[in-house]
Amino acid sequence: MKLSLKIGIGALIGLMNVAVTSIYFADRPIGASTSYPYAAGQLFGLQSSTYFRQIDVAGSWEFWFLVGTFLGAFVGALLFGHFKLSVVPSLWANLKGPSASKRLVWAFIGGFLLILGARLADGCTSGHILSGGMELAVSSLVFAVFVMISAVVTARYFYGASQ
Amino acid sequence: MILAFIVGILFALIAQYARLNSFNTIASAALLKNHDVVQILFFAIAISSIGFFVMYLMGGASINVKPFYVIGVCVGGILFGAGVAILGYCPGTMLMALAEGKADALLGYVGGIAAALLFTLAYPTLLPLIGPDFGAINLYAASATITAMIVGVYAVVLLFMAFKLESKA
């Protein structure tokens, strides 16, 4: 990707997050991972649990945010010609083989670790790294450093042998 | 709700255009083969940190940061990083990947819901273990001038790292 394009995309994402966070719009930064316990709570009838009551408002906002991303990504996929049904990503197939069941099992495990981590830390790429990074939050900067180190180490050992 | 939905559509269109919701993009970043997504994040944070500070000074935004639970943030970051490397999607881009036909993202979502269910049930037990809590702190100083300098240095460091990564691609 060209450097100028990366600067443009970064600027657009950053300025949109500033606008969303202003008191004239959402008065809160973007976030995604609180929608998971919100959806789980609604799905399994846990609305009266301590945790659900704590995340109810933020979870509902992030749930509708993700519904929007789903629609936007679908429209974008058609618009930019990215839509393609697949189970095994091409890079995964190169590194770990073409087995669909293997990829699906690891996708489940990866998703489990991802959201467990996001809930323990109270945020994810959007809520912590992008939004907390924007507001110079100590928690988000520490989170970002641990995420980067862990992702690189995991990738090295998980994909390393097959590279 | 409507606002969250519209904001979601806009962010997804950008992410879709730049393919930030693709396994290949994220996994190759974790493998240090391609720095595009990290550079975009650095540019976004650098620019938004200045934009946010200016808006905050003008009274247009309030600070809304997450508490620093030391164990929760560090252990959470480690688990999250491992999850990102294996799954190749983050919580926000997972549904965007599903929307472009990536069926593996659906299993990632199911795994995420399972973890969220477990966390909700275990929360009363876990809460005392994720501290100590240093509160919702950020790097802003009491004086606006000093904060402006901190934000300036912070943005320059991020921009420097983003440009530095360009020569390593």
Side-chain angles (χ1 to χ4, degrees):
Chain A
M1 207 185 285
K2 276 176 69 178
L3 181 64
S4 55
L5 186 61
K6 287 184 270 197
I7 296 173
I9 290 166
L12 203 54
I13 291 174
L15 293 175
M16 269 171 60
N17 205 12
V18 172
V20 170
T21 310
S22 82
I23 53 173
Y24 310 106
F25 288 94
D27 197 15
R28 58 152 288 168
I30 59 162
S33 65
T34 314
S35 74
Y36 288 76
Y38 180 79
Q42 297 286 15
L43 208 56
F44 295 98
L46 296 168
Q47 292 91 343
S48 58
S49 67
T50 317
Y51 190 60
F52 188 89
R53 278 183 282 136
Q54 203 169 308
I55 55 107
D56 193 1
V57 175
S60 145
W61 195 93
E62 296 185 13
F63 182 82
W64 285 104
F65 176 71
L66 281 201
V67 174
T69 64
F70 185 82
L71 183 69
F74 180 70
V75 172
L78 298 180
L79 218 58
F80 310 131
H82 293 169
F83 191 90
K84 188 168 169 267
L85 275 176
S86 81
V87 177
V88 185
S90 58
L91 179 60
W92 174 283
N94 291 342
L95 296 165
K96 305 291 276 184
S99 163
S101 52
K102 185 178 174 186
R103 170 58 190 159
L104 291 177
V105 169
W106 279 111
F108 179 90
I109 296 169
F112 187 91
L113 292 172
L114 187 77
I115 298 301
L116 187 63
R119 288 304 83 218
L120 278 169
D122 195 22
C124 59
T125 317
S126 36
H128 254 319
I129 298 177
L130 273 174
S131 304
M134 166 175 80
E135 301 186 24
L136 277 68
V138 174
S139 56
S140 305
L141 297 174
V142 173
F143 179 75
V145 169
F146 273 87
V147 168
M148 280 198 240
I149 295 170
S150 170
V152 170
V153 171
T154 304
R156 192 181 172 87
Y157 287 97
F158 187 72
Y159 302 112
S162 41
Q163 270 191 78
Chain B
M1 243 156 64
I2 294 289
L3 183 63
F5 179 73
I6 294 167
V7 170
I9 293 177
L10 296 175
F11 271 98
L13 284 170
I14 300 170
Q16 180 64 263
Y17 179 76
R19 309 228 77 162
L20 302 179
N21 60 336
S22 136
F23 172 90
N24 293 11
T25 306
I26 306 294
S28 55
L31 286 164
L32 305 175
K33 294 263 157 80
N34 183 311
H35 303 303
D36 288 358
V37 67
V38 177
Q39 288 174 287
I40 289 173
L41 280 173
F42 284 171
F43 285 130
I45 299 167
I47 290 159
S48 65
S49 67
I50 297 170
F52 178 84
F53 178 62
V54 171
M55 204 173 62
Y56 169 76
L57 277 186
M58 299 192 311
S62 46
I63 293 171
N64 182 1
V65 302
K66 294 161 189 297
F68 183 31
Y69 284 97
V70 179
I71 303 291
V73 166
C74 297
V75 174
I78 293 170
L79 295 177
F80 189 89
V84 164
I86 294 168
L87 179 63
Y89 312 118
C90 72
T93 60
M94 211 184 316
L95 286 178
M96 299 183 202
L98 185 62
E100 60 161 54
K102 305 296 184 284
D104 55 335
L106 185 61
L107 264 286
Y109 192 79
V110 175
I113 291 292
L117 176 64
L118 180 80
F119 186 83
T120 302
L121 297 174
Y123 182 70
T125 320
L126 282 174
L127 189 58
L129 305 175
I130 59 174
D133 177 14
F134 284 98
I137 44 175
N138 74 351
L139 299 180
Y140 281 13
S143 130
T145 316
I146 296 178
T147 307
M149 285 160 64
I150 295 171
V151 172
V153 170
Y154 175 80
V156 167
V157 169
L158 283 169
L159 292 175
F160 177 79
M161 291 195 297
F163 285 117
K164 195 84 185 160
L165 283 172
E166 184 68 11
S167 50
K168 290 190 174 178

